[in-house]
Amino acid sequence: MQQATDQNWWKEGIVYQIYPRSFQDTTGNGVGDLQGVIRRLDYIKSLGVDIIWLNPVYVSPNDDNGYDIADYRNIMPEFGTMTDFEELLTGMKQRGLKLVMDLVVNHTSDEHAWFEASRASRDNPYRDYYHWWPAEKGTPPKRWSYFDVDGNAWKYDETTDAYYLHYFSVKQPDLNWENPKVRKEIHDIMKFWFDKGVDGFRMDVISFISKDTDFPELPQKYGGDFVSFYSDGPKLHDYLHELHTEVLGKYDVMTVGEAPGIGLDKALDFVDAERKELNMFFHFDLMALDREENEVFLMRKDSWKLPEFKKIHSEWDQVFARKGWGSIYLNNHDFPRSVSRWGNDSVVNWYNSATMLQTFLLTMRGTPYFYYGEEIGMTNIKFDSIADYQDINTVNRYKIVQNEGGDLAAFIENEKAASRDNARTPMQWDESTNAGFSLERPWLQVNENYKEGINVADQEEDHNSVLNYFRKMIAIRKAHPVLIHGSYRLLQENHEHIYAYTRTLDEHLFLILLSFSNNRSSITLNELDFEEAKLVISNDVEAEKHQGKSFELAPYQACVYRLL
Ligand code: GLC
């Protein structure tokens, strides 16, 4: 039987996520590309990370930046060619890096050949590749859409006098997984990439793939929460198990499913190794912490509290303590920058916040996922005009507020904290034009703070930079398996400013203290023995202060101790 402590490359690995559009432009079109990633491979390797997750690079009209795929077997021309892709893979293999691609199969682009055929006539052989509701049955039962300007997931299509389903934008029609031909197509796409040498998939909104195709009214038990309903499809686990039997089980690859709507109670159904489904998934409990209930994009009015943050991580750690394995992240291309969101990006607190959060991810159990720029502490851009935003999510939600005569100024304030574009600004490489990302106007504005030390080149020079702290902290995790596999114990769960926990494996015991406060704070830990205590690392310029069992931490200070 597989144990949580079993070793595995995807458990021990550290993931670095690249949003290729924003990483490095080499052609001068203002858009990042695969040659740009190739150019930066030595840098990525130098960080100490092991696995690159690349956001979608397939042919796409880019209604949702590549999450609307028109051809699963070719590379988006803006990003390069298949030859570039193969060169990237070879370069990664030479450096011992693994590549995880994005698999987007809940939906395709409406410009995919399957959908063009499907919408052409009711008797087209591709008709059943998607979900259609004939208009003579009346208006279909309400389904909510993430990016639709009317919030409606059914779009009427005149050609065949029917509605098609799209949980995301109108240009992202949902595939019909009930159809075995669709599933076979998906299996073949996965094999195509695995046979090229790809090491795994991050599976986009995988919890949404199964639908009750009678399309009933939203059952009452979901209390109006469409996300829970969407992730509770009747055949979800049959499909995932089939993916394993037909494809995944035949390769040494990793899978991490994006799983909105999946709570603690269902976690092991996905990742208990004996069930043969996925290796890991991303839950959304932390991402919902600073949002209004059931409002994924609306910032909560009161601010989040540290005990809530601890509770989420402690419960999720517990769920995978014996079976399965966790994945842990603080930001990605869909959520704002971690230092702005969970720390404090003001000049005085930025450094400690960014490094404290890195310390957190690298001392928790579960595979840590970092997002490009997190290693140098990139921050939210906080655009204050709708004209600056590119993301379909912000742009279309703005239109909804406008159509409803709502408060547009309040909307923009919300987006300064919530918009996905905060996390999509170009990588900050150096102090040259456009932060060294591109010589031409970038597709999304560069954050001006690249001139103030938030760039790779400056931080390479400084031994104590956020970047070099990141490298040191990674080396510490790798040198101490207790930080990867050890059991986790939360201390003083109600402390409002300090997150304290231990990690234990065999005779090894580590203590981690993290301040989430703007002020100095202290904690007394009577339950532990500090006779042999050694400080392994601290992010603050001030030496750590402890007297007996009492510790005093500077704002956002992180301290890692080895007690045994
Ligand atoms: C996922 C992706 C997001 C995308 C959506 C639709 O949530 O992470 O970027 O917009 O799915 O594919």
Side-chain angles (χ1 to χ4, degrees):
M1 192 178 91
Q2 180 144 355
Q3 299 283 318
T5 48
D6 283 354
Q7 297 183 353
N8 212 312
W9 63 265
W10 46 263
K11 287 185 175 177
E12 270 132 45
I14 295 168
V15 182
Y16 184 75
Q17 181 193 348
I18 295 180
Y19 198 65
R21 178 164 293 273
S22 302
F23 198 59
Q24 176 72 70
D25 175 21
T26 60
T27 60
N29 62 356
V31 169
D33 46 54
L34 294 182
Q35 282 298 333
V37 181
I38 294 169
R39 183 186 292 178
R40 299 295 183 174
L41 280 180
D42 285 333
Y43 165 75
I44 297 166
K45 180 71 187 171
S46 81
L47 299 174
V49 300
D50 310 280
I51 302 164
I52 294 180
W53 154 25
L54 209 53
N55 287 102
V57 294
Y58 320 93
V59 174
S60 163
N62 283 311
D63 192 50
D64 184 23
N65 287 358
Y67 282 94
D68 46 322
I69 298 172
D71 178 354
Y72 286 94
R73 289 183 170 82
N74 278 301
I75 301 294
M76 188 189 307
E78 273 180 312
F79 289 172
T81 62
M82 192 58 88
T83 311
D84 295 323
F85 179 82
E86 281 156 4
E87 188 185 331
L88 170 64
L89 200 52
T90 307
M92 288 182 60
K93 299 228 181 263
Q94 281 163 354
R95 291 169 178 82
L97 293 166
K98 307 253 188 201
L99 178 60
V100 168
M101 306 268 287
D102 224 302
L103 183 76
V104 189
V105 287
N106 173 68
H107 45 266
T108 68
S109 162
D110 66 340
E111 297 182 33
H112 193 291
W114 299 337
F115 189 73
E116 286 175 349
S118 183
R119 83 188 325 176
S121 67
R122 287 192 178 189
D123 56 6
N124 190 286
Y126 286 90
R127 186 67 170 178
D128 289 342
Y129 270 48
Y130 297 86
H131 298 285
W132 290 97
W133 178 277
E136 61 273 17
K137 280 172 70 180
T139 315
K142 164 91 181 151
R143 289 294 178 271
W144 171 79
S145 160
Y146 277 82
F147 305 149
D148 188 75
V149 273
D150 298 318
N152 182 0
W154 289 109
K155 171 77 180 165
Y156 178 71
D157 200 46
E158 264 179 13
T159 320
T160 57
D161 191 29
Y163 298 83
Y164 65 85
L165 186 71
H166 64 93
Y167 282 180
F168 294 88
S169 91
V170 286
K171 288 183 65 61
Q172 292 169 296
D174 284 40
L175 281 165
N176 176 12
W177 278 66
E178 288 277 311
N179 182 347
K181 286 189 202 148
V182 167
R183 304 204 301 277
K184 172 81 170 56
E185 300 266 16
I186 292 164
H187 300 163
D188 290 346
I189 291 167
M190 294 171 77
K191 286 181 196 156
F192 172 84
W193 290 101
F194 286 147
D195 291 340
K196 276 195 183 292
V198 162
D199 301 289
F201 281 114
R202 173 268 185 188
M203 301 167 149
D204 193 62
V205 286
I206 202 70
S207 50
F208 289 180
I209 56 178
S210 167
K211 279 114 187 160
D212 178 344
T213 49
D214 290 337
F215 295 107
E217 294 293 339
L218 176 68
Q220 271 196 340
K221 67 171 178 175
Y222 298 100
D225 175 6
F226 274 102
V227 175
S228 300
F229 174 60
Y230 288 173
S231 60
D232 204 12
K235 298 197 184 146
L236 173 58
H237 290 287
D238 298 339
Y239 298 153
L240 295 179
H241 185 67
E242 185 184 64
L243 281 186
H244 196 282
T245 316
E246 295 296 320
V247 190
L248 299 168
K250 300 179 177 161
Y251 301 85
D252 175 22
V253 289
M254 77 165 237
T255 48
V256 54
E258 189 201 23
I262 302 301
L264 292 157
D265 53 332
K266 294 191 190 158
L268 287 175
D269 295 348
F270 291 78
V271 298
D272 176 351
E274 283 173 22
R275 287 177 54 95
K276 298 194 186 315
E277 294 191 17
L278 306 180
N279 299 134
M280 295 175 268
F281 71 83
F282 296 124
H283 70 75
F284 276 67
D285 286 1
L286 181 69
M287 296 299 117
L289 176 60
D290 59 355
R291 305 292 161 97
E292 291 293 344
E293 212 178 330
N294 293 341
E295 289 283 353
V296 260
F297 307 117
L298 204 60
M299 301 307 291
R300 137 182 181 187
K301 293 202 183 53
D302 60 337
S303 49
W304 60 276
K305 312 282 181 302
L306 184 60
E308 301 168 329
F309 184 99
K310 296 181 199 179
K311 184 166 185 274
I312 290 169
H313 287 101
S314 304
E315 288 179 347
W316 278 96
D317 176 82
Q318 197 47 43
V319 132
F320 301 130
R322 266 169 220 91
K323 286 178 169 186
W325 187 249
S327 50
I328 165 159
Y329 68 105
L330 292 172
N331 56 185
N332 62 32
H333 64 292
D334 291 328
F335 291 99
R337 289 277 172 191
S338 58
V339 64
S340 303
R341 189 177 184 188
W342 308 116
N344 180 324
D345 62 10
S346 69
V347 175
V348 279
N349 288 311
W350 165 79
Y351 176 89
N352 273 16
S353 291
T355 47
M356 181 278 287
L357 293 168
Q358 293 173 350
T359 313
F360 169 63
L361 286 180
L362 291 167
T363 53
M364 287 294 282
R365 178 154 58 178
T367 298
Y369 289 74
F370 290 93
Y371 182 58
Y372 82 93
E374 197 170 354
E375 74 275 25
I376 55 167
M378 278 174 61
T379 64
N380 284 354
I381 190 151
K382 306 171 191 164
F383 288 131
D384 45 26
S385 158
I386 189 64
D388 293 327
Y389 286 97
Q390 301 289 331
D391 179 20
I392 183 170
N393 180 18
T394 297
V395 170
N396 283 0
R397 282 172 39 250
Y398 182 87
K399 286 184 195 149
I400 294 178
V401 177
Q402 201 168 35
N403 293 340
E404 288 170 350
D407 185 344
L408 290 168
F411 175 82
I412 293 292
E413 271 317 295
N414 185 74
E415 292 314 280
K416 286 185 190 172
S419 174
R420 309 195 295 181
D421 277 343
N422 281 306
R424 297 178 176 184
T425 61
M427 178 64 177
Q428 295 167 205
W429 293 107
D430 54 41
E431 278 191 36
S432 67
T433 315
N434 298 322
F437 164 71
S438 174
L439 292 173
E440 294 305 320
R441 196 188 142 128
W443 73 277
L444 183 68
Q445 273 177 49
V446 176
N447 193 320
E448 286 298 305
N449 62 16
Y450 77 88
K451 295 171 186 153
E452 290 145 28
I454 308 189
N455 72 67
V456 172
D458 284 358
Q459 295 194 22
E460 287 284 6
E461 301 293 304
D462 175 2
H463 184 68
N464 290 316
S465 61
V466 174
L467 173 62
N468 281 318
Y469 182 91
F470 182 64
R471 290 182 171 128
K472 271 179 246 165
M473 197 55 235
I474 284 187
I476 291 171
R477 182 176 176 91
K478 297 219 157 146
H480 300 286
V482 54
L483 294 176
I484 301 169
H485 294 286
S487 59
Y488 157 98
R489 181 174 154 224
L490 174 64
L491 307 170
Q492 299 198 14
E493 57 186 89
N494 295 323
H495 197 297
E496 287 183 9
H497 307 297
I498 294 175
Y499 189 171
Y501 50 95
T502 57
R503 302 292 311 279
T504 316
L505 184 69
D506 305 325
E507 69 280 15
H508 303 289
L509 173 61
F510 274 61
L511 167 71
I512 294 95
L513 298 179
L514 309 170
S515 161
F516 279 76
S517 171
N518 296 333
N519 300 308
R520 298 189 74 80
S521 45
S522 56
I523 189 167
T524 302
L525 296 163
N526 288 322
E527 56 270 68
L528 295 173
D529 182 357
F530 291 99
E531 258 167 51
E532 308 267 320
K534 282 198 193 70
L535 181 74
V536 179
I537 193 167
S538 165
N539 63 346
D540 196 77
V541 281
E542 263 183 51
E544 128 282 356
K545 289 189 179 150
H546 89 269
Q547 264 201 333
K549 294 178 185 252
S550 294
F551 295 77
E552 194 184 315
L553 265 64
Y556 298 101
Q557 184 167 11
C559 294
V560 178
Y561 294 92
R562 184 179 178 160
L563 302 188
L564 284 175

